[in-house]
Amino acid sequence: MDLRIFTEPQQGATYDTLLTVAKATEDLGFDAFFRSDHYLSMGNSDGLPGPTDAWITLAGLARETKRIRLGTLMTAGTFRLPGVLAIQVAQVDQMSGGRVELGLGAGWFEEEHKAYGIPFPKEKFGRLEEQLAVVTGLWETKVGDTFDFHGTYYDLTGSPALPKPAQSRIPVLIGGHGATRTPRLAARYADEFNIPFASIEDTARQFGRVRDAAEAIGRPGGDLTYSNALVVCVGRDDQEVARRAAAIGREVDELKANGLAGSPAEVVEKIGKYAEAGSERVYLQILDLDDLDHLELISTKVQSQLA
């Protein structure tokens, strides 16, 4: 079971804070550092000092880390044109020496689009499908050839399809709870399917849909990696769990029901249940980015048992 660190910087984090967490992620033996792609805080957070851009952040981290994978859960398809996104991600992959992964979603948070003047189209899923075709098509085009795409929303003619990533194929992540279109899209384009903040039962059900969709187009269902994203709150005792839950504005019982919370033994046991449902990787949503002791505890008492 791979454990990856997943952050939500729109809730309030500087680049320096993210760098500190990313370096701790690497030093403590976690597999990857991922971040959300949002420009507006959610809930009661004031979001200070303001948002950081996902791919600018990852470009910086690419030069200041050496081992961990770097990526997004999920880049909003509404934020960037697919041709531009393909260039950005390929460049960051080069800057990292081939450690980048692209999580790409349709985009959903209308308020942040209004706040920063970003168009919020109605037909987001159809656009996402074309974006995936364009981004992967550009990367897969051989050097010296050109790429053309004529879709409903995007039109490319004679693209040199440059630059190329450092990796022969940048892993693409697709995720969500949709019962039909999401599994179909994952089956066609994804290297990894991620379901965020889902119960064990819903996880097993959605993974099954993705496997079925893959096999329906002649792709082995086991060809994809299956993962969860879950909030985490671990403590050495009940008091420490309660303190960490209060720090992120959550209740312990709610966190235990909907995430990974409690003692290291409790969290290891619950991760095991997700593994039984088919999960191979968990993105641990870390909401208090100043609590590096939390990361160390997870590394020494949770990750060590899963290895």
Side-chain angles (χ1 to χ4, degrees), residues 22-179:
K23 285 187 172 180
T25 297
E26 186 159 82
D27 292 343
L28 291 169
F30 293 104
D31 183 60
F33 175 93
F34 272 58
R35 60 156 294 164
S36 59
D37 189 12
H38 286 295
Y39 293 134
L40 199 65
S41 63
M42 303 170 198
N44 296 323
S45 171
D46 59 19
L48 294 174
T52 51
D53 181 83
W55 286 101
I56 291 176
T57 297
L58 294 175
L61 298 181
R63 305 302 291 174
E64 301 200 63
T65 58
K66 294 180 172 60
R67 177 188 59 80
I68 51 174
R69 308 289 295 177
L70 301 166
T72 50
L73 281 183
M74 300 282 189
T75 286
T78 49
F79 287 176
R80 299 166 181 86
L81 296 171
V84 175
L85 180 62
I87 292 170
Q88 291 172 322
V89 178
Q91 184 177 2
V92 177
D93 193 52
Q94 291 176 357
M95 293 168 70
S96 72
R99 294 183 285 123
V100 159
E101 303 184 12
L102 171 64
L104 185 59
W108 62 271
F109 191 21
E110 186 172 6
E111 286 80 0
E112 68 186 338
H113 294 74
K114 291 178 179 178
Y116 287 97
I118 303 168
F120 190 69
K122 291 182 179 179
E123 57 291 300
K124 291 182 290 297
F125 200 90
R127 288 175 180 269
L128 173 62
E129 185 162 11
E130 291 193 9
Q131 287 167 334
L132 286 162
V134 169
V135 170
T136 58
L138 287 168
W139 290 339
E140 292 167 359
T141 299
K142 294 179 180 179
V143 175
D145 292 346
T146 57
F147 177 77
D148 295 277
F149 181 87
H150 307 293
T152 302
Y153 308 105
Y154 303 103
D155 195 282
L156 291 78
T157 300
S159 173
L162 298 172
K164 297 303 182 193
Q167 300 175 83
S168 58
R169 177 179 174 85
I170 290 179
V172 173
L173 290 76
I174 295 173
H177 295 260

Side-chain angles (χ1 to χ4, degrees), residues 227-243:
S227 64
N228 288 87
L230 295 162
V231 62
V232 65
C233 180
V234 187
R236 295 173 181 86
D237 52 38
D238 291 345
Q239 291 74 24
E240 192 167 74
V241 175
R243 174 177 63 78

Side-chain angles (χ1 to χ4, degrees), residues 29 68 75 96-97 143 162 179 184 211 244 247 266 292 300:
I68 51 174
T75 286
S96 72
V143 175
L162 298 172
R184 176 180 57 80
R211 287 192 182 91
R244 288 201 163 106
E266 287 178 286
L292 297 182
T300 58

